[in-house]
Amino acid sequence: RRRVWIDQKYFVWIPNFYIIFVAKPGIVSKSTTADIGMSLLREVPGIHFGPNSLTWQALIQAMHQSVDTIEDPATGELFASSAFSIVASELGSLLDFSDRAMIDVFVDLWDGRKTWSKRTKLDGEELIENPFINIIGCTTDAWIQENFSKYLLGGGFTSRTIFVYGKSKRHLVAYPADQFGAQHSSLRQKLIQDLETIS
């Protein structure tokens, strides 16, 4: 949420992530994996989540509504931050890779500039202070082959994305509930407490 950074004077590194799980259908339970992690994160106060499908214009409006005030620990200065996390169990429902404007906006937002603005004749200027965006998405290798153009590969989106590829199941668990021990609930609560501390 832009609460951690490394100041390089000419620019600031912030730890936002675009992560995409990739596997053939039914191999590694991509959506289930993402949902397990996000269910923990949803328990942490102050985390803003976006919809699974949206236009870039709607994204900007939603980021306007997710503004928090953050204190710089070094200076005590307060500043605004628009932090947003998106979970896309089907990457294609979130990102239209034929829409260059949408992809360019996501590339631009990842870069972590102090302000991001867009001016239109109808709406005037839209300004986001300290944008911060995370994406976790799921897709198949066949979908990537079909939808990733040369422009996309050369345009910066893929260089900002971590692709996690699974080619086989580590082990089969038909009934996960049977694997839960007595410590499951307490372990889940401890993980949420850890996320709150990190937050």
Side-chain angles (χ1 to χ4, degrees):
R1 291 185 295 161
R2 207 165 180 135
R3 292 171 180 262
V4 177
W5 61 86
I6 300 174
D7 189 348
Q8 295 296 302
K9 305 306 178 190
Y10 291 110
F11 59 88
V12 174
W13 280 333
I14 57 172
N16 55 324
F17 291 100
Y18 291 178
I19 299 172
I20 299 177
F21 295 155
V22 183
K24 296 186 185 313
I27 295 296
V28 294
S29 304
K30 303 176 293 293
S31 300
T32 303
T33 301
D35 288 343
I36 290 170
M38 291 304 104
S39 71
L40 297 173
L41 194 59
R42 288 182 192 279
E43 299 286 331
V44 178
I47 305 293
H48 299 282
F49 288 92
N52 299 61
S53 177
L54 74 171
T55 63
W56 70 263
Q57 294 91 340
L59 170 67
I60 299 310
Q61 291 175 355
M63 290 187 81
H64 272 293
Q65 298 168 357
S66 65
V67 177
D68 286 322
T69 302
I70 296 173
E71 181 179 345
D72 184 331
T75 65
E77 178 186 358
L78 298 176
F79 63 92
S81 174
S82 298
F84 211 62
S85 294
I86 299 174
V87 185
S89 58
E90 292 296 335
L91 187 64
S93 68
L94 172 66
L95 296 175
D96 178 0
F97 286 107
S98 66
D99 183 348
R100 288 189 176 191
M102 172 183 262
I103 300 306
D104 288 345
V105 166
F106 275 99
V107 168
D108 228 13
L109 289 171
W110 185 92
D111 287 343
R113 293 181 178 89
K114 289 193 174 184
T115 59
W116 188 93
S117 65
K118 178 79 172 178
R119 181 176 289 279
T120 63
K121 184 177 179 181
L122 183 62
D123 298 324
E125 185 176 39
E126 294 179 291
L127 180 70
I128 299 175
E129 292 186 59
N130 296 301
F132 181 93
I133 187 164
N134 284 320
I135 299 173
I136 187 163
C138 307
T139 193
T140 64
D141 47 358
W143 190 92
I144 288 178
Q145 289 174 356
E146 182 73 24
N147 290 278
F148 274 43
S149 64
K150 287 183 180 178
Y151 168 78
L152 190 63
L153 294 172
F157 183 84
T158 52
S159 67
R160 290 161 173 79
T161 303
I162 299 169
F163 293 90
V164 181
Y165 181 71
K167 66 178 183 178
S168 62
K169 285 191 182 291
R170 188 171 49 155
H171 57 265
L172 294 170
V173 181
Y175 301 100
D178 293 346
Q179 307 300 313
F180 288 1
Q183 79 284 6
H184 177 264
S185 293
S186 65
L187 179 59
R188 186 176 191 281
Q189 281 307 120
K190 287 177 182 177
L191 287 169
I192 292 169
Q193 289 168 7
D194 285 348
L195 288 171
E196 289 176 347
T197 300
I198 293 166
S199 175

